Amino acid sequence: MTEDERRIRRATFLKAGLATAVTLPVVASEVVRAPRAAAGELTPTPMCDDGDDLTPPQMEGPYFKPNSPQRSDLRGDMPGTALTITGVVYSRSCAPLNRVLLDFWQADNAGNYDNVGYRGRGHQFTSTDGRFRLDTIVPGLYPGRTRHVHVKVQAPNQRILTTQLYFPGEPGNDWDAIFDPALLMNVQGSNATFDFVLNLP
């Protein structure tokens, strides 16, 4: 792909993203910004541009449970600060992917995982335009970790991407050895966004 083609593809994608952003409701005027590293700004959340930015994998951790219920709302009776995570799952060529499985799990407001039932756990599938929406709460702090949400992402009949999503401005981001700034969500009030890019054509 030539440099001109890369610029055109990126410009087209950014225009589409701006058009989508206009339709989103404004929940709060204050934007939570990512912390700065000593040498400059952290790497931004991966975006689908010229196919170079695949979503990086991360460890599963000890608390994954298979067979979670299919649901896009994990709040249930969990107390805590409401949070909605939305985004799109793309291929390397920036094509939105339909029927991608996203299996989320997280700690509750107190930093505990439900290892008996399925509180704070659930899976869903992307729509025809690759979109997903998760209604949940801001997870509490699990000892030894910064604030995060776990997810497994799997396109039909493809390999599973296991990773974690992070919150900007968290003090634990500076010392958590697992934290990856490429997995920071864009958080604005009670809304967070993150787009996954899978290693598919």
Side-chain angles (χ1 to χ4, degrees):
M1 179 182 294
T2 68
E3 189 59 31
D4 286 341
E5 289 173 326
R6 287 175 183 270
R7 283 197 294 268
I8 291 170
R9 177 174 287 179
R10 180 171 176 80
T12 302
F13 179 77
L14 290 175
K15 286 178 184 176
L18 288 173
T20 302
V22 170
T23 64
L24 293 176
V26 177
V27 175
S29 58
E30 183 178 352
V31 177
V32 180
R33 301 197 182 276
R36 290 177 178 265
E41 290 192 18
L42 296 174
T43 304
T45 297
M47 291 180 61
C48 184
D49 48 27
D50 57 7
D52 292 338
D53 296 317
L54 298 177
T55 302
Q58 290 222 309
M59 64 180 293
E60 178 180 282
Y63 298 122
F64 172 71
K65 287 178 63 176
N67 305 315
S68 68
Q70 182 174 343
R71 59 186 176 193
S72 59
D73 190 338
L74 305 186
R75 292 170 298 184
D77 61 349
M78 287 197 301
T81 302
L83 176 71
T84 297
I85 305 173
T86 59
V88 181
V89 181
Y90 292 103
S91 68
R92 293 193 314 268
S93 62
C94 296
L97 299 173
N98 179 33
R99 295 293 296 170
V100 173
L101 169 70
L102 296 108
D103 196 345
F104 292 96
W105 71 102
Q106 67 172 75
D108 64 17
N109 190 45
N112 300 313
Y113 288 86
D114 179 6
N115 297 314
V116 177
Y118 287 93
R119 195 179 197 207
R121 302 173 185 269
H123 72 269
Q124 60 180 280
F125 296 90
T126 56
S127 60
T128 54
D129 57 357
R131 297 187 179 278
F132 70 90
R133 173 184 172 129
L134 178 71
D135 292 310
T136 184
I137 63 165
V138 175
L141 289 171
Y142 177 77
R145 292 296 318 280
T146 191
R147 205 178 305 275
H148 62 282
V149 174
H150 294 270
V151 60
K152 287 181 179 287
V153 187
Q154 183 180 26
N157 304 311
Q158 300 296 324
R159 298 184 65 174
I160 298 171
L161 167 69
T162 301
T163 194
Q164 301 179 35
L165 303 180
Y166 296 99
F167 295 78
E170 287 290 323
N173 293 350
D174 293 332
W175 51 258
D176 189 327
I178 302 171
F179 170 74
D180 185 341
L183 294 167
L184 280 168
M185 295 183 288
N186 179 14
V187 181
Q188 199 174 93
S190 61
N191 288 341
T193 59
F194 188 90
D195 293 339
F196 296 92
V197 182
L198 300 185
N199 191 15
L200 294 173

